[in-house]
Structures are given as C-alpha cells and as structure tokens.
Amino acid sequence: MSFTETVLLALDLLGTFVFAISGVLLAARRGYDITGGLVLGLLAGIGGGMIRDILLDRVPNALAHPIYLAPPLLATLLIYLIGQRTLRARIWIIVFDALGMGLFSLTGTAIALEAGAQAPVALLMGALTACGGGLLRDVVANEDPAIFRGTDLYLIPALFGSGLTILADRFGLLGGVTSVLIAAAAFGFRMLAWRLQWRVPQPMRQWSLRAKDGQSRRKRLPAVFRRPD
C-alpha cells in the first residue's frame, strides 16, 4: 500500500469516526439508549459509503473490511462514557458533521475515481458519500435533514471538496498532503458558511405558475368581482 493510499484509508476511517460521533451525539441529545446511539452512529458513519459502493457495483467497504465497523463502536462507547456532558451537544454535532463531510467529500470522490468513474459521476459520488450518512441519520431520528434546510450551506461545501479532489487528481497532485488540505478546505467552507449564515436562494412559495397567474389576474380585478376565498 502506497503512502497516498494509506493516508486516504486513514482519512476515510477518521471520517467514519467523526460522522459516527455526530450520530451518537444526536442520539444522546434525543435521549436514546446506547443501542439507539449505535444505530445512528452506524448510519452516519458508513451509510453514505455503502450507498456509493452499491451504485458503483463494488462490495461496500464496511463489509469487505470489518475495520470500518470499529469507529462507530468506539464513538458510541466514548460518547456514553462522557455522559451528561453531551446534553448541550448541538454545536458539536455541527462540528463533527462538518468534519465528516469534508473528509468524505475527498475519500468518496477518490474511491469513485479509483473505480474508474468519470469526473461527473465521481463528483456525484463524493457528494453522496459526504451527505448520505447524515441524511440517513437525520431521517431515522426524525430530524429535518441538514441537506434540505435552507438555513445554511451543506451540499455546496461537499461538492466543493469533491470538485477539488477531481482537479487535484486530473493534474496529478492528489497525494497525502493535498488530501488533508482538500478535506480541511471543505470543512472550513462548511463551518464558515454556518458561522456567517450563508444561504442559497429560497424556493418560491407557489410552485404552480398557473396558481401565480391566477393570483395576478385576481389582483387586477375590482374588489366587487373577486370571489371570496
């Protein structure tokens, strides 16, 4: 195993660990027991990677290499040993989630490129790896998924990290140091967007053009001709 492959494996395992911590912290904040924390930790830590590998027609890393099951177990034990200190965990959920997102946007894209995926597919797989586990975690815990909330950026930093990975690979610069820098850049982007409350444009309140056209015509009619709502 080359130095770059060793670094990517270490970063992937670290991403699994910190994403699992975000899942276990959410479970602790919601008052779940230790098995509930383990389930959320597993979903957050290995869920996105399993979806990616299935779509790429690969044996999921979590099944091919059982070492991927160790980080969620360690995260569960760690958080439940800390105990009451996890009650005010919202900020730490965001931090660990952003760190996992940054790491997985890199490793998910690198794995897709190694599997022979073209750049657009690798970009999608990197974002899916970065966001999929958090999406599964939030859905199972009955939380609004971060990727769907308009309060801050989530998918865009993941695509940013994935795009940087593709560029680095295209120019032959994807190595151990570069990988760490890309993951740090995606993490920093996510945290900066959260801190400064950057947002994407909000959707229209009325998605139907016919409905909006009807409202415009009603406004042009004299009040006596309008139908009561």
Side-chain angles (χ1 to χ4, degrees), residues 36-105:
L38 179 59
V39 169
L40 290 189
L42 284 168
L43 287 174
I46 66 176
M50 292 190 73
I51 297 173
R52 175 205 64 221
D53 290 338
I54 290 171
L55 291 177
L56 291 174
D57 198 22
R58 301 172 71 248
V59 177
N61 282 342
L63 301 181
H65 308 287
I67 191 174
Y68 277 87
L69 300 176
L73 289 171
L74 291 175
T76 303
L77 292 175
L78 175 64
I79 297 304
Y80 276 88
L81 285 175
I82 293 175
Q84 293 294 321
R85 298 179 184 178
T86 64
L87 292 180
R88 298 178 180 178
R90 184 175 181 275
I91 179 62
W92 291 111
I93 293 173
I94 294 171
V95 171
F96 282 109
D97 185 73
L99 183 55
M101 182 275 299
L103 290 165
F104 276 175
S105 67

Side-chain angles (χ1 to χ4, degrees), residues 17-40:
F17 179 70
V18 296
F19 246 143
I21 283 183
S22 74
V24 183
L25 284 173
L26 178 58
R29 188 157 123 351
R30 297 292 296 271
Y32 296 167
D33 61 18
I34 193 169
T35 55
L38 179 59
V39 169
L40 290 189

Side-chain angles (χ1 to χ4, degrees), residues 105-170:
S105 67
L106 162 77
T107 60
T109 307
I111 289 171
L113 291 171
E114 184 183 357
Q118 297 297 317
V121 177
L123 183 73
L124 177 63
M125 291 299 103
L128 177 62
T129 309
C131 302
L135 177 62
L136 293 174
R137 173 202 64 209
D138 293 340
V139 168
V140 171
N142 199 27
E143 292 269 326
D144 288 334
I147 194 173
F148 295 150
R149 291 197 294 263
T151 54
D152 52 24
L153 301 184
Y154 194 87
L155 178 60
I156 292 177
L159 291 171
F160 173 72
S162 184
L164 287 180
T165 306
I166 292 171
L167 289 175
D169 180 75
R170 183 64 56 88

